[in-house]
Amino acid sequence: MILHDFIYEWDGKSTKGEKPISWWPGSYHVKIIKLATDKKKISYLVHTAVILKNASAKPNMMNTSLKNYIHNFAMKISKEYDIDIDKTLWIELDDKIRVAQLKANQKIAPEMRYSISWRPIRPNELAMITTYIKDM
């Protein structure tokens, strides 16, 4: 079930003292999908998927990839849309479909830090999102 479908843009500037997603502007088409749909009392390891596709809104605008900034993006989106980072598949559609694995590191500062690795999407994960990526 699609919970949200929108274009997310950032200008690369710091506002309200918050760190931007990246210091360069960018935009992404974002779909937030609820994967866990049954009503039984089952605890899912992953119950949400966030599907991302680079969406340059302005032809002359440099559009930053989230490859190196997915942790900043995930923290901002999870805060704005009440998503649990650890129970979410962060999927980027590009030449290849890849899944970001965010591993929480020790909490050093007021916010959590994450180590990031990317892997190819698994066949079962692709099967779950195929209908949602056709129009992206």
Side-chain angles (χ1 to χ4, degrees), residues 13 18 23 41 78 80-81 90 119:
K13 297 176 184 171
E18 292 181 2
W23 292 104
K41 294 183 179 182
S78 64
E80 287 180 26
Y81 293 95
W90 299 92
R119 64 169 172 79

Side-chain angles (χ1 to χ4, degrees), residues 5-121:
D5 186 355
F6 56 94
I7 301 291
Y8 193 91
E9 295 182 329
W10 65 93
D11 60 7
K13 297 176 184 171
S14 179
T15 57
K16 303 177 196 167
E18 292 181 2
K19 181 179 175 184
I21 290 171
S22 82
W23 292 104
W24 296 273
S27 66
Y28 267 73
H29 183 177
V30 179
K31 279 190 184 179
I32 301 175
I33 311 295
K34 182 178 179 183
L35 299 173
T37 57
D38 57 63
K39 307 289 185 221
K40 298 175 185 173
K41 294 183 179 182
I42 297 173
S43 180
Y44 288 86
L45 294 175
V46 176
H47 54 71
T48 308
V50 177
I51 304 169
L52 312 162
K53 184 170 184 179
N54 204 322
S56 184
K58 299 171 187 158
N60 297 340
M61 185 174 117
M62 181 179 120
N63 205 27
T64 302
S65 168
L66 286 177
K67 183 144 179 109
N68 296 321
Y69 304 102
I70 190 67
H71 58 295
N72 294 339
F73 185 82
M75 286 190 292
K76 189 168 253 341
I77 292 295
S78 64
K79 185 177 179 181
E80 287 180 26
Y81 293 95
D82 195 29
I83 298 172
D84 184 347
I85 289 177
D86 300 323
K87 292 192 175 209
T88 301
L89 274 177
W90 299 92
I91 303 166
E92 184 175 30
L93 307 178
D94 203 356
D95 298 344
K96 298 177 182 176
I97 301 175
R98 297 188 174 266
V99 175
Q101 295 178 291
L102 302 169
K103 182 180 176 191
N105 290 336
Q106 192 173 23
K107 190 172 181 176
I108 300 169
E111 63 185 37
M112 184 64 73
R113 301 284 182 204
Y114 292 90
S115 61
I116 307 157
S117 61
W118 290 87
R119 64 169 172 79
I121 193 164

